[in-house]
């Protein structure tokens, strides 16, 4: 291997030829050659999937294996399978799939295909340089649209230049590109993977300013926020008798959430035919009258009602830090989107988003918290959205167990999620049937405690926009405690049994990124088996890392010596600290290793009287 000495396989070259010289179609020709070194490399690259979306055609797929003895095995056309893999945001993702014939360690495999993108242009196209395999040479050839001057902006890689070829193409080669490997808790791929953006000069260059984009958004949305008599009348009706400004604004928010059916909500009961029949809401009073609208319609109605009530509401353009960290000095198309509504509250702004079904004010979706945004207004105003503190996103767990002398633990569990943790749970369970939701829970518990038997499962508020997401279940775990002679050893922190430390790797390539601050609160009661008493129940030392992270376990026994009370409190992300440079990895790893040790702490019970 040239790029990474211990690689299982390595691409000798990865060539992509991009032709934007046609009328409407963008044509890409891909050609890849890979050397297989090990059995694992053979297994990894024996099957190839070429994914593509609607509007893209994949043609002329060809592949072959060059065996170590020089013999060649060609892929037969009949061996290429087309299938639909998954739906991404309602779009069907298809793949052309094939297996390399005769692949073995020492072999070279190569494949090529043509990709035709209808009504597309190379402007704002992403050039991917870093793949999941090390590549000796990545080559791009680009023929731009006629008479277009262009350049590329590299991200997470050094600068490179294109040279003109005789055939109207410009070419560049980047050598020795290491493989991209995911790490736990890493920034979005756009911030760590090597890629580049193609930009045509002069084309929509007025969008090269985020301020201009904000002003343009303001003019586009003005008609959709129009305050007419219907809106004024409804606003007065909603806020009548309500005392403070904040209460009035929340009252308007609740009205919109309760009375307008969201066409973007998969569970709102709309069929495709229903959606096709719906007329476009051209102004907020249309949304109000029809009682139906998209998340964007609902936000614009909310803004119009707030303005009608005498307050100031604007659309705010925000980035998505789940996709990319935003830098207002670097123009990336699509980096800012009309996301939420900002309402002036004294000298500051408060934010509201009816498009996010499970997010409740004052919170925003985590992807839009703690980011720079701009008010869509003629004069444009930059602002920063607040980040919700750890106590707003809490996992609260309680359990009441009995432990018998054979080591079987049995009892009832309640787990309650709020804030961003609740939103994650609800989004995960949104599409699932009640039976599937129960299966998801069983799998999660059995994934860490294989012998756990769950019954009496109750799942509450799975699709409620406001209330906490709740699991309740009865569990029985044979051999939870290990018996040795007259002693029982067990882990009182039931909720962490079977969970390994968050970071296992000794070294780290990318920064550490937690999506949002969160907290956990556990209270567990364990009735001890008759004839047993605590032999050793020292508690782990508390952990406090500069208010960013706190972890504390307390244990005690009831006065009658029959029941162990275990309490655990944890928070992370205090002071909005969720992103850490790679230089701090050793400290962060050490911190989470210490927490894991404390959570997996064992205690000992000693038999004091015979139970026969």
């Amino acid at each position: 291997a040239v790029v990474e000495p211990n690689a299982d396989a390595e691409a000798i070259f990865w060539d992509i030829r991009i032709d934007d010289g046609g009328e409407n179609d963008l044509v890409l020709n891909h050609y890849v050659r890979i050397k297989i070194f090990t059995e694992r490399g053979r297994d990894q690259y024996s099957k190839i999937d070429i994914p593509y979306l609607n509007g893209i055609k994949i043609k002329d797929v060809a592949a072959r294996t060059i065996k170590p003895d020089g013999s060649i095995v060609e892929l037969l056309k009949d061996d290429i399978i087309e299938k639909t893999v998954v739906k991404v945001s309602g779009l069907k993702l298809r793949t052309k799939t094939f297996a390399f014939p005769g692949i073995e360690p020492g072999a070279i495999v190569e494949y090529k295909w043509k990709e035709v993108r209808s009504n597309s242009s190379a402007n704002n196209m992403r050039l991917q340089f870093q793949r999941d395999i090390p590549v000796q040479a990545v080559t791009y050839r680009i023929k731009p649209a006629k008479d277009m001057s262009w350049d590329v902006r590299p991200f997470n890689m050094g600068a490179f230049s294109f040279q003109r070829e005789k055939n109207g193409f410009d070419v560049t080669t980047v050598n020795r590109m290491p493989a991209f490997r995911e790490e736990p808790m890493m920034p979005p791929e756009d911030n760590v993977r090597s890629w580049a953006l193609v930009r045509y000069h002069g084309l929509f260059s007025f969008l090269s300013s985020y301020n201009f984009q904000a002003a343009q958004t303001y003019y586009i949305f003005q008609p959709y926020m129009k305050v007419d008599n219907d809106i004024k009348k409804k606003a007065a009706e909603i806020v009548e008798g309500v005392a403070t400004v904040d209460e009035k604004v929340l009252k308007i928010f609740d009205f919109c959430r309760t009375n307008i059916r969201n066409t973007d909500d998969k569970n709102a009961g709309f069929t495709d035919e229903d959606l096709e029949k719906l007329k476009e809401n051209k102004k907020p009073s249309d949304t109000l009258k029809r009682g139906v609208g998209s998340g964007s319609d609902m936000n614009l109605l909310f803004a119009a009602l707030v303005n009608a009530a005498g307050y100031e509401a604007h659309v705010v353009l925000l980035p998505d830090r789940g996709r990319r960290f935003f830098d207002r000095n670097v123009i990336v198309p699509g980096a800012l989107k009309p996301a939420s509504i900002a309402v002036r509250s004294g000298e500051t702004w408060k934010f509201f988003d009816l498009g996010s079904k499970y997010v409740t004010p004052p919170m925003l979706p985590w992807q839009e918290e703690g980011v720079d945004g701009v008010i869509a207004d003629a004069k444009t105003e930059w602002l920063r959205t607040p980040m919700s503190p750890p106590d707003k996103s809490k996992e609260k767990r309680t359990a009441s167990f009995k432990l018998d002398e054979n080591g079987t633990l049995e009892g009832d569990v309640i787990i309650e999620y709020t804030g961003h943790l609740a939103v994650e749970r609800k989004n995960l369970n949104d599409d699932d049937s009640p039976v599937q939701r129960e299966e998801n829970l069983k799998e999660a518990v059995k994934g860490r405690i294989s012998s756990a038997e769950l019954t009496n499962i109750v799942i509450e508020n799975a699709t409620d926009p406001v209330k906490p997401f709740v699991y309740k279940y009865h569990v029985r775990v044979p051999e939870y405690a290990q018996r040795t002679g007259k002693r029982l050893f067990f882990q009182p922190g039931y909720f962490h049994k079977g969970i390994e430390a968050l970071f296992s790797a000794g070294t780290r390539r990318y920064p550490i990124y937690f999506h949002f601050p969160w907290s956990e609160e556990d209270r567990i009661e364990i009735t001890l088996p008759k004839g047993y008493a605590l032999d050793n129940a020292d508690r782990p030392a508390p952990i406090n890392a500069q208010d960013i992270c706190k972890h504390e376990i307390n244990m005690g026994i009831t006065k009658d010596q029959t029941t162990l009370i275990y309490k655990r409190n944890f928070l992370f992300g205090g002071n909005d600290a969720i992103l850490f440079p790679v230089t701090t990895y050793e400290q962060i790893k050490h911190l989470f290793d210490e927490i894991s040790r404390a959570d997996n702490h064992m205690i000992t019970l000693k038999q004091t009287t015979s139970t026969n």
Side-chain angles (χ1 to χ4, degrees):
V2 174
V3 184
E4 294 179 5
N6 301 317
D8 296 305
E10 187 166 276
I12 297 167
F13 61 73
W14 199 301
D15 287 4
I16 300 170
R17 183 184 175 102
I18 301 164
D19 189 345
D20 199 9
E23 284 300 306
N24 298 311
D25 291 346
L26 182 67
V27 181
L28 288 79
N29 284 285
H30 304 256
Y31 185 13
V32 187
R33 180 178 290 166
I34 296 171
K35 179 75 184 272
I36 307 297
F37 298 119
T38 66
E39 299 282 349
R40 196 162 56 178
R42 179 200 65 190
D43 295 344
Q44 271 177 312
Y45 295 98
S46 61
K47 187 166 80 73
I48 297 292
D49 292 319
I50 302 170
Y52 61 102
L53 291 166
N54 289 342
I56 295 176
K57 291 190 180 78
I58 301 294
K59 299 177 173 179
D60 307 337
V61 177
R64 64 180 187 169
T65 302
I66 305 165
K67 294 170 81 79
D69 64 5
S71 60
I72 293 173
V73 190
E74 299 277 351
L75 178 76
L76 300 175
K77 286 274 182 280
D78 292 347
D79 294 336
I80 301 164
I81 303 161
E82 187 164 334
K83 57 184 180 182
T84 302
V85 178
V86 70
K87 287 187 176 181
V88 181
S89 308
L91 294 172
K92 284 183 180 174
L93 179 70
R94 295 191 177 91
T95 66
K96 297 266 191 184
T97 299
F98 59 87
F100 277 112
I103 186 172
E104 59 182 285
I108 288 173
V109 294
E110 52 181 44
Y111 60 108
K112 53 187 177 182
W113 74 97
K114 182 187 283 187
E115 180 182 341
V116 181
R117 300 185 184 181
S118 304
N119 300 312
S120 255
S121 145
N123 186 42
N124 293 336
M125 185 181 176
R126 298 162 63 96
L127 307 182
Q128 202 61 264
F129 279 87
Q130 201 170 18
R131 312 275 174 174
D132 299 335
I133 183 173
V135 187
Q136 290 180 24
V138 182
T139 299
Y140 277 99
R141 284 180 174 81
I142 299 180
K143 181 191 274 187
K146 199 175 177 197
D147 301 328
M148 272 294 167
S149 62
W150 61 285
D151 65 11
V152 290
R153 171 178 277 159
F155 291 86
N156 317 310
M157 63 185 296
F160 55 89
S161 58
F162 279 83
Q163 310 300 320
R164 177 56 54 93
E165 292 187 315
K166 289 177 184 173
N167 55 7
F169 282 83
D170 292 345
V171 62
T172 191
T173 297
V174 174
N175 294 310
R176 300 176 73 93
M177 182 59 72
F180 176 77
R181 291 188 181 85
E182 286 192 16
E183 293 178 327
M185 302 296 164
M186 71 174 194
E189 281 195 22
D190 272 11
N191 287 89
V192 287
R193 196 190 272 259
S194 299
W195 63 285
L197 184 71
V198 176
R199 300 180 307 170
Y200 284 173
H201 297 160
L203 192 64
F204 304 124
S205 57
F206 58 82
L207 282 179
S208 61
S209 152
Y210 290 128
N211 284 351
F212 189 94
Q213 191 184 337
Q216 189 194 37
T217 303
Y218 168 70
Y219 290 115
I220 289 170
F221 279 119
Q222 274 309 89
Y224 297 95
M225 295 170 68
K226 188 180 176 190
V227 175
D228 57 19
N229 287 333
D230 290 340
I231 294 292
K232 281 180 186 167
K233 190 176 163 191
K234 181 52 73 176
E237 190 185 302
I238 296 168
V239 302
E240 189 180 359
V242 181
T244 69
V245 175
D246 286 351
E247 285 172 329
K248 286 177 182 178
V249 172
L250 277 175
K251 195 90 173 161
I252 294 169
F253 183 91
D254 290 338
F255 168 83
C256 295
R257 176 174 267 176
T258 310
N259 293 278
I260 309 298
R261 290 174 71 205
N262 187 348
T263 55
D264 297 337
D265 178 6
K266 299 185 289 285
N267 298 316
F270 294 105
T271 64
D272 289 344
E273 292 76 31
D274 292 337
L275 294 172
E276 276 176 33
K277 284 180 200 163
L278 288 175
K279 292 179 181 173
E280 183 194 348
N281 292 327
K282 294 188 175 171
K283 55 184 189 290
S285 50
D286 291 346
T287 310
L288 184 64
K289 275 181 203 145
R290 293 171 184 152
V292 169
S294 64
S296 177
D297 289 340
M298 292 168 72
N299 272 338
L300 294 167
L301 170 61
F302 166 73
L305 289 165
V306 169
N307 286 330
Y311 310 112
E312 187 184 351
H314 294 277
V315 172
V316 60
L317 280 76
L318 297 174
D320 175 348
R321 63 175 173 85
R323 290 186 59 206
R324 183 186 299 118
F325 294 155
F326 178 67
D327 179 350
R328 65 165 94 169
N329 299 312
V330 178
I331 305 297
V332 177
L336 279 186
K337 292 213 166 104
S340 305
I341 300 297
V343 177
R344 194 178 282 284
S345 176
E347 295 298 306
T348 61
W349 296 92
K350 290 192 172 171
F351 302 91
F352 300 86
D353 185 6
L354 282 147
S356 300
K357 178 179 168 188
Y358 299 126
V359 179
T360 303
M363 299 178 88
L364 282 170
W366 69 259
Q367 295 90 335
E368 294 168 8
E369 289 195 339
V371 296
D372 286 340
V374 61
I375 296 286
D377 192 6
K379 55 184 184 289
T380 66
E381 179 184 337
W382 284 89
L383 44 75
R384 190 166 183 82
T385 58
M387 196 179 290
S388 300
D391 64 322
K392 291 290 182 195
S393 299
K394 182 176 279 190
E395 184 172 2
K396 187 179 178 181
R397 301 171 284 217
T398 55
S400 180
F401 293 130
K402 279 187 174 176
L403 184 69
D404 70 17
E405 63 270 18
N406 298 314
T408 297
L409 186 78
E410 186 166 4
D412 296 305
V413 170
I414 301 172
I415 307 175
E416 189 177 281
Y417 299 89
T418 57
H420 297 311
L421 295 172
V423 174
E424 282 188 339
R425 288 281 146 189
K426 289 173 185 180
N427 283 332
L428 276 172
N429 287 273
D430 202 278
D431 283 345
D432 295 332
S433 66
V435 172
Q436 185 59 51
R437 287 172 193 155
E438 291 190 14
E439 285 305 312
N440 296 345
L441 173 63
K442 284 181 185 173
E443 278 179 33
V445 177
K446 288 181 79 68
R448 59 185 186 86
I449 309 174
S450 58
S451 61
E453 302 157 10
L454 271 66
T455 52
N456 302 352
I457 295 172
V458 176
I459 301 174
E460 294 175 356
N461 313 325
T463 58
D464 187 287
V466 180
K467 291 177 185 166
F469 181 97
V470 181
Y471 285 130
K472 295 178 182 175
Y473 62 86
H474 183 83
V475 67
R476 183 174 180 273
V477 188
E479 297 179 2
Y480 184 85
Q482 276 69 56
R483 188 167 179 165
T484 309
K486 292 191 171 187
R487 284 180 170 79
L488 280 171
F489 301 89
F490 72 98
Q491 178 178 335
Y494 160 82
F495 295 108
H496 293 89
K497 186 169 176 67
I499 296 179
E500 294 179 353
L502 190 54
F503 301 103
S504 56
T507 58
R508 178 92 178 182
R509 182 179 285 182
Y510 305 124
I512 304 99
Y513 175 49
F514 299 89
H515 288 165
F516 51 83
W518 84 101
S519 58
E520 299 166 6
E521 182 186 313
D522 299 342
R523 181 188 165 88
I524 300 172
E525 293 185 8
I526 303 174
T527 302
L528 306 179
K530 280 185 179 161
Y532 280 80
L534 283 177
D535 184 35
N536 169 27
D538 58 319
R539 71 171 187 134
I543 297 165
N544 189 344
Q546 299 174 340
D547 295 333
I548 293 168
C549 175
K550 291 183 180 177
H551 180 276
E552 187 169 5
I553 290 172
N554 284 295
M555 283 188 281
I557 191 109
T558 52
K559 282 183 182 174
D560 60 7
Q561 305 290 303
T562 62
T563 307
L564 177 75
I565 311 289
Y566 173 96
K567 294 178 185 174
R568 175 185 179 275
N569 282 286
F570 166 82
L571 71 79
F572 192 89
N575 301 332
D576 295 354
I578 55 170
L579 179 65
F580 302 88
V582 74
T583 50
T584 64
Y585 177 62
E586 205 173 306
Q587 294 160 269
I588 299 243
K589 181 182 185 307
H590 177 73
L591 175 68
F592 278 90
D593 286 349
E594 288 290 303
I595 289 167
S596 179
R597 268 194 288 276
D599 289 340
N600 287 284
H601 184 72
M602 303 287 279
I603 65 171
T604 315
L605 302 181
K606 187 178 181 184
Q607 191 173 348
T608 54
T609 59
S610 173
T611 54
N612 294 334

